Amino acid sequence: MATRRRAVVPQQPREEADPTVTQPGERAESATSRPTRPRFRKPASLTFEPPMAAVDAEHFFGLESVTDPGELLERSTDLAVAFRDAAERAVEYQAVAAARLTDPRRFDRLTETQLAELAGWGEDYARRMVEFGRRLERGDPAGEE
């Protein structure tokens, strides 16, 4: 059997490493390089469910700890106004949804009777909500015509 001979490649002398060239995993630390932005890691996945916050019926937005009656009145009034505004806004969204669900252009539209059953309303209330929603979609919330 013939033996193979390896070709001999002359080696070039080693050069000193260029400080501006970095290897994978290294950081460039030269005075001329731009500052690098920190790399953010992806958040670790949870291996457990966080505990549910305990709901204490005796604590209501910290009002139970307010001792000054004037401050209590002011904070509770602010809360009442905020809840009233939120309730009014939610009713407007209900009305828009009712109008869209009963829109005659929809192939899967609901009748006002079906809407009333779905929402737990009376038929008359459902009819008024549809009308209100249509006014809201037209941009006429007061019903002025």
Side-chain angles (χ1 to χ4, degrees):
M1 239 185 191
T3 58
R4 292 183 127 180
R5 295 183 78 172
R6 273 201 278 180
V8 178
V9 179
Q11 292 185 351
Q12 296 179 359
R14 288 187 144 192
E15 297 177 15
E16 286 191 31
D18 184 2
T20 60
V21 177
T22 59
Q23 296 297 319
E26 289 183 337
R27 292 188 120 174
E29 294 184 11
S30 74
T32 60
S33 67
R34 292 183 293 169
T36 58
R37 288 187 283 166
R39 290 185 184 177
F40 296 104
R41 296 181 185 166
K42 291 181 182 176
S45 59
L46 293 177
T47 57
F48 63 93
E49 285 292 319
M52 294 289 293
V55 179
D56 188 358
E58 302 221 359
H59 298 289
F60 188 75
F61 294 94
L63 294 178
E64 69 286 339
S65 63
V66 177
T67 56
D68 179 33
E71 184 182 352
L72 180 61
L73 177 64
E74 181 180 347
R75 288 182 61 191
S76 60
T77 302
D78 289 344
L79 274 173
V81 169
F83 284 129
R84 190 176 312 123
D85 290 344
E88 288 174 5
R89 185 104 186 249
V91 168
E92 289 175 355
Y93 280 106
Q94 281 182 317
V96 169
R100 290 179 182 171
L101 285 170
T102 59
D103 187 349
R105 295 173 293 186
R106 288 177 57 116
F107 75 94
D108 61 344
R109 70 182 167 270
L110 299 178
T111 65
E112 290 174 353
T113 304
Q114 292 170 324
L115 174 67
E117 289 175 15
L118 180 66
W121 299 332
E123 286 187 45
D124 185 49
Y125 186 76
R127 189 174 306 107
R128 287 186 281 148
M129 286 296 275
V130 169
E131 291 170 9
F132 181 48
R134 289 185 180 148
R135 284 196 314 264
L136 288 173
E137 286 186 318
R138 285 192 309 262
D140 184 22
E144 300 167 4
E145 305 208 9

